[in-house]
Amino acid sequence: MSKAAGALLAKLDLPEGALDSVPCIRIFGRNTAEIENHRGVLEFSDSKVRLHTALGILNIAGTELRICCADKQTIVCTGEIASVEYEK
């Protein structure tokens, strides 16, 4: 774990390893979203991708959406991404 991550955990009073299951979302422009630490795909269509995460359901909305890469920890979604948000 990096010093920065350790300092963040200490400031937030979280145990070591707490960030391991937290999703990490990277968005590249409007066409690619990479989500690490997902817990599975709940729904997939060309306009919506719903993922189960440790923080709840993550929705990716857009057009011509595709899952171009997926493994146990990471999913890469491409297409015209309109929004990425958590369900309340």
Side-chain angles (χ1 to χ4, degrees):
M1 178 178 347
S2 72
K3 280 186 169 183
L8 177 62
L9 290 174
K11 288 234 183 238
L12 296 175
D13 196 29
L14 295 172
E16 188 171 324
L19 294 179
D20 293 342
S21 64
V22 174
C24 178
I25 304 164
R26 292 181 190 88
I27 299 175
F28 304 93
R30 293 183 60 102
N31 299 318
T32 305
E34 178 182 345
I35 300 90
E36 293 180 355
N37 299 325
H38 69 89
R39 294 183 174 177
V41 177
L42 299 174
E43 182 180 348
F44 170 71
S45 71
D46 64 346
S47 62
K48 181 192 280 188
V49 177
R50 294 178 70 230
L51 302 174
H52 181 232
T53 75
L55 299 178
I57 307 301
L58 180 70
N59 291 311
I60 302 170
T63 56
E64 299 181 17
L65 297 178
R66 301 282 179 260
I67 295 175
C68 67
C69 292
D71 62 26
K72 290 180 181 181
Q73 292 186 345
T74 304
I75 286 183
V76 178
C77 181
T78 61
E80 182 71 23
I81 297 171
S83 67
V84 178
E85 62 184 16
Y86 282 98
E87 285 184 16
K88 293 185 180 187

